Amino acid sequence: MKTYFLLLVFIAGSLAQEDLSQKGFLFPEETSTAHVILKPETSKPLKKFTVCLRSYTELTREHTLFSLATAGKDNMVLIFPQPPNHYSICINNKEFHIKVDTEILDWKHTCMSWDSDSGLVQLWVNRKLYVRKVSNKGFIIPSPASIILGQDQDSYGGGFQASQCFVGEINQFDMWDYALSLEEINQVLVNEKNGNVLNWTSLSYEIKGGVLVVPLYQCKL
Ligand SMILES: *[C@@H]1O[C@H](CO)[C@@H](O)[C@H](O)[C@H]1NC(C)=O
Ligand SMILES: [Ca+2]
């Protein structure tokens, strides 16, 4: 009985690996603590990647959608919307901006890819590919990486500021170690493709602070 109880506490309180296809993360309030640590399937250096996620926020200030830090480089990869019309993106601590359409109060699907061979950076928001950029051609993202949802890392795994945190809901987060083709992005949009680095249907993650896992409810009209 006692062992059973301790096991439950362990599963609920720390590392979980779970099929989240019918669930999402809720970040209910502005804090400098609430975040989700994501544990990738592979710890190899990355020459390319794609991340995709759905999000819903009421925030009109800048905030963090995705933060990947490596030793000494807190903004190794950062996806940082600056409503109403910009995304700030960092690769290898190098920041650039992508102008986007005005944000609206609704679910939003974001995909971003980077390919070291060409340096090509692609950002899709709600199926639209924005003007492409080139950054860090030839670079390789070293390992290990600290991958976090909900907060911007100003140091490896920490250094959070409430004023840059995410408040709202995030689901269908996946990450790949290659740049997805347009056909593959379309598969992601209809939930037919999951990541080989982070897989939303078997996600290894750890919740810190007040983040809730909530069911995805959709009213049918
Ligand atoms: C994602 O996880 C599911 C469930 O374990 C598995 O069936 C699928 O093959 C995984 N996808 C990838 C790309 O690893
Ligand atoms: Ca910061």
Side-chain angles (χ1 to χ4, degrees):
M1 184 62 192
K2 200 174 170 192
T3 320
Y4 184 60
F5 175 73
L6 282 176
L7 187 66
L8 278 180
V9 169
F10 175 74
I11 291 169
S14 59
L15 184 64
Q17 175 158 21
E18 201 179 338
D19 177 1
L20 290 171
S21 49
Q22 300 305 317
K23 296 176 187 172
F25 294 126
L26 171 62
F27 302 82
E29 59 187 6
E30 185 168 292
T31 72
S32 61
T33 51
H35 63 286
V36 180
I37 301 169
L38 301 176
K39 318 264 181 171
E41 303 275 340
T42 151
S43 58
K44 282 186 294 189
L46 286 171
K47 287 186 69 185
K48 312 160 188 223
F49 70 85
T50 305
V51 291
C52 290
L53 71 152
R54 286 175 79 232
S55 61
Y56 194 145
T57 183
E58 296 172 341
L59 292 172
T60 52
R61 60 154 169 80
E62 58 182 26
H63 57 272
T64 312
L65 273 187
F66 178 74
S67 170
L68 183 154
T70 60
K73 292 267 174 83
D74 50 309
N75 293 329
M76 181 51 79
V77 180
L78 180 67
I79 307 178
F80 196 69
Q82 295 180 309
N85 285 108
H86 285 89
Y87 267 49
S88 167
I89 306 274
C90 295
I91 295 172
N92 191 20
N93 278 16
K94 214 162 101 189
E95 183 184 23
F96 53 94
H97 292 265
I98 299 181
K99 206 166 187 176
V100 298
D101 288 299
T102 304
E103 306 245 356
I104 52 159
L105 191 63
D106 203 348
W107 284 101
K108 179 171 83 170
H109 193 270
T110 302
C111 282
M112 185 209 141
S113 71
W114 170 74
D115 185 334
S116 173
D117 293 344
S118 56
L120 191 66
V121 177
Q122 307 191 88
L123 175 72
W124 286 263
V125 182
N126 292 336
R127 298 168 183 266
K128 178 170 174 179
L129 176 62
Y130 286 96
V131 173
R132 289 177 276 189
K133 310 279 168 166
V134 170
S135 182
N136 282 280
K137 181 174 174 347
F139 180 71
I140 296 174
I141 296 173
S143 66
S146 166
I147 304 178
I148 282 180
L149 297 180
Q151 300 284 347
D152 168 45
Q153 303 175 75
D154 283 349
S155 63
Y156 190 84
F160 306 143
Q161 291 166 284
S163 61
Q164 295 177 332
C165 80
F166 179 82
V167 182
E169 305 204 26
I170 290 179
N171 60 49
Q172 285 172 21
F173 178 91
D174 286 279
M175 181 169 178
W176 295 261
D177 61 2
Y178 56 97
L180 265 59
S181 66
L182 181 60
E183 290 72 22
E184 290 170 316
I185 298 271
N186 282 325
Q187 291 176 333
V188 173
L189 281 159
V190 293
N191 290 332
E192 281 172 4
K193 189 167 183 64
N194 289 104
N196 65 341
V197 175
L198 287 159
N199 180 339
W200 188 251
T201 64
S202 57
L203 194 71
S204 295
Y205 67 95
E206 193 176 339
I207 284 179
K208 300 284 188 187
V211 183
L212 284 183
V213 175
V214 292
L216 295 187
Y217 290 134
Q218 197 81 49
C219 285
K220 291 210 164 63
L221 292 177

